[in-house]
Amino acid sequence: MNTFARTMKHTVLAAALALLAGCSSVKPWINEPLPAGDQNIPVRKSERDPTILVAVTLSGGGARAAAFGYGVLTELQQTRFVWNGHPTTLLDATDVVSGVSGGSIVAAYFAAHGIEGLPRFEQDFLRQNFQNSLITQALRPGNLIDLTSPWLGRTHLLARRLDELYGGLTFGDVERRPRHPQLFITATDMSLGTGFEFTWEQFSLICSDLRKVPLSFAVAASSAVPLLLSPMTLKNYADQCPDRPSPSVAAAAAGDYRVRLNRAHELSYVDAQRKPYIHLVDGGLADNLGVQRLLDRALANGGLRQTFSEVGIPPATIRKLVLITVNAERDPSVNIDMSDKVPNMAQVVDALLFGTGARATRETQEFLRDITRQWQRSLASGPTGANDVFAPDAEIHVIPVNLRDAPDDIARRRLLQVPTAFSITSEEVTDLIEAGGSVLRHSPEFRALVQSLLSPDPHAPHAPPAGLQAKD
């Protein structure tokens, strides 16, 4: 009997067992409330030098995005320089890593395993046939029976597989790692259509303990493409934190429209009676770049300076603020505008996911470009007072890294057609990793950052060696 026949036989047998078993009552993991005596947001004490802050956001796009993002992270690790008299790398200086969907897979891996473990990601995920392993797992009799439970969906099986990748680690485990970066993972609240971040700020709104959340759950929720995968569910415990200050309706009506939307987003979670559960799907539906909520919070908090002041950074500290946004968005499979035929269902779904999504991404990129200019003008005007967290010589570097900017025309066209899936070919993995590093190296904004890092450091005890070179 050949392999296909054996697989079909086992599948039919498993399906029959599931039907005989009836509806399963198995319930998956669910988030826990904050302990009654410990409902304050933990104060994070970073072990990194606060004079240089680096944040990296990794977009969605399945294994394509994971490979491209991995290439960028690898290049950051190879970018060495001396800061305050100490040799370091841009990856080691990274204080925040944010991921959406495919980008969240590599972001969580980096946060969980650190710089020393990051090289294993290529073999542990990118070079594995992860998608086939998911299908094999789903066809196991026990899992088929579990899927008859009304509380468990296909994405829970993805979470089980991802749990193997992350070794069962939780956000609390990441927080206990020395020199760990802050990890932000974005999903989409299905009923609101807005981003839902796996961060303390978001989880405090629902009075839930982020430390107990498995990385696998967050990444699976962020990757739950509607229809193909099922939503993931969280419980809202907001009514169990009666002493926590809630966003006011008056505050929600103040400020510009982005501030108002951010406050309305927060208000939607404070009434656990009206919203006892939160159903999450792919984060790319709300923000495929994973940067929108960061910007919204900065605006809602009163601006860039106020945001950093509130996290305890002393005055005149920040000399370099770096934001690297990685975008692995691809082209639609078929250009429907080249034909007068009615698009079929697959083409409609493809266009909606990658056409409409591309428009939202462009809007976010343009908003980021505008707000970057505002920040730079604000810094150029000098300190705003004695409590200004930015040093007089502070610089802001915002560096977009887009797959569409791959320098090789032929390779770019081919890579922009790599499907959004959990597995891609080994050749595509190799090319995407190389493209990530290449696009970053050729970025004018990145070259400007490199040049500024090469400049003599007036704050160092001795002039640093010129150990960093911009690669061609």
Side-chain angles (χ1 to χ4, degrees):
M1 185 181 296
N2 60 35
T3 302
F4 177 77
R6 284 197 300 270
T7 301
M8 289 302 298
K9 178 181 178 181
H10 293 157
T11 302
V12 171
L13 177 60
L17 288 173
L19 289 173
L20 289 172
C23 189
S24 170
S25 60
V26 65
K27 289 190 175 182
W29 174 90
I30 193 72
N31 58 309
E32 300 177 22
L34 282 168
D38 182 21
Q39 295 188 344
N40 293 320
I41 298 177
V43 177
R44 180 177 182 268
K45 296 180 180 179
S46 176
E47 299 177 23
R48 288 184 171 80
D49 187 338
T51 62
I52 179 170
L53 300 178
V54 181
V56 180
T57 68
L58 302 167
S59 81
R64 181 187 67 256
F68 187 66
Y70 175 74
V72 172
L73 295 181
T74 300
E75 186 66 26
L76 292 176
Q77 176 59 10
Q78 294 172 357
T79 306
R80 298 176 176 85
F81 60 103
V82 174
W83 188 257
N84 286 340
H86 301 287
T88 187
T89 71
L90 275 175
L91 190 60
D92 190 45
T94 297
D95 194 60
V96 173
V97 59
S98 170
V100 179
S101 194
S104 72
I105 299 175
V106 63
Y109 195 94
F110 169 49
H113 300 295
I115 289 175
E116 64 280 4
L118 182 61
R120 297 196 301 270
F121 180 73
E122 186 172 346
Q123 185 58 43
D124 286 353
F125 178 79
L126 294 175
R127 303 289 180 182
Q128 298 290 326
N129 197 329
F130 193 85
Q131 193 154 297
N132 271 6
S133 72
L134 281 178
I135 295 172
T136 301
Q137 183 183 48
L139 294 177
R140 291 173 183 165
N143 287 332
L144 285 172
I145 293 172
D146 286 350
L147 285 173
T148 65
S149 167
W151 298 282
L152 190 140
R154 295 179 298 280
T155 309
H156 290 97
L157 301 187
L158 169 61
R160 291 177 183 178
R161 179 66 182 86
L162 287 169
D163 211 42
E164 299 173 13
L165 181 66
Y166 302 125
L169 295 179
T170 65
F171 278 82
D173 294 323
V174 170
E175 289 179 4
R176 288 187 288 272
R177 275 187 55 85
R179 295 180 60 79
H180 72 277
Q182 293 185 76
L183 174 63
F184 297 170
I185 292 178
T186 302
T188 298
D189 185 322
M190 191 168 66
S191 64
L192 298 177
T194 57
F196 183 99
E197 281 187 333
F198 284 79
T199 62
W200 272 112
E201 288 77 11
Q202 181 77 66
F203 268 64
S204 69
L205 294 174
I206 62 173
C207 193
S208 186
D209 195 342
L210 180 64
R211 290 166 295 202
K212 302 292 184 63
V213 178
L215 298 180
S216 57
F217 181 94
V219 173
S222 182
S223 306
V225 178
L227 302 181
L228 295 178
L229 293 169
S230 55
M232 297 289 270
T233 302
L234 292 172
K235 184 168 174 53
N236 187 355
Y237 299 101
D239 54 355
Q240 297 189 29
C241 285
D243 298 328
R244 182 177 301 284
S246 300
S248 68
V249 175
D256 70 17
Y257 83 98
R258 287 189 178 275
V259 174
R260 296 196 301 273
L261 287 175
N262 185 69
R263 297 303 185 199
H265 168 86
E266 294 177 350
L267 274 172
S268 65
Y269 295 102
V270 299
D271 189 346
Q273 299 299 317
R274 295 185 61 184
K275 190 178 177 66
Y277 294 98
I278 300 144
H279 301 288
L280 303 174
V281 291
D282 193 305
L285 298 177
D287 175 18
N288 198 48
L289 287 181
V291 72
Q292 188 65 60
R293 295 284 296 145
L294 293 173
L295 298 177
D296 288 345
R297 276 204 304 273
L299 288 174
N301 289 339
L304 196 62
R305 286 180 164 92
Q306 184 65 21
T307 297
F308 286 110
S309 296
E310 290 182 356
V311 297
I313 294 180
T317 295
I318 303 173
R319 290 162 45 210
K320 276 192 173 48
L321 178 62
V322 181
L323 174 60
I324 300 171
T325 62
V326 182
N327 179 20
E329 192 173 60
R330 74 169 178 88
D331 286 338
S333 301
V334 177
N335 186 351
I336 58 175
D337 294 333
M338 297 300 293
S339 172
D340 62 351
K341 295 180 180 178
V342 176
N344 60 38
M345 183 63 71
Q347 291 170 340
V348 169
V349 172
D350 192 63
L352 287 175
L353 286 176
F354 301 105
T356 307
R359 169 61 185 268
T361 297
R362 284 195 296 272
E363 289 179 352
T364 300
Q365 288 176 322
E366 290 302 318
F367 173 54
L368 178 59
R369 189 172 289 113
D370 286 348
I371 202 169
T372 298
R373 285 195 285 262
Q374 293 177 24
W375 290 342
Q376 290 171 337
R377 285 196 298 268
S378 176
L379 283 185
S381 66
T384 57
N387 294 323
D388 193 335
V389 296
F390 286 95
D393 60 346
E395 298 175 351
I396 293 180
H397 297 265
V398 177
I399 303 168
V401 184
N402 300 308
L403 181 56
R404 296 182 187 279
D405 294 332
D408 187 312
D409 289 344
I410 296 176
R412 180 176 64 250
R413 287 195 294 269
R414 180 166 47 81
L415 294 178
L416 287 173
Q417 288 297 319
V418 174
T420 300
F422 285 112
S423 295
I424 54 180
T425 69
S426 184
E427 180 184 4
E428 289 168 341
V429 168
T430 300
D431 290 346
L432 283 160
I433 292 173
E434 171 55 33
S438 178
V439 173
L440 180 63
R441 289 193 301 271
H442 285 83
S443 161
E445 294 86 355
F446 182 70
R447 287 176 175 267
L449 170 63
V450 168
Q451 189 60 43
S452 72
L453 292 172
L454 279 170
S455 301
D457 184 356
H459 301 268
H462 304 285
L468 175 63
Q469 298 293 331
K471 302 178 185 177
D472 293 326

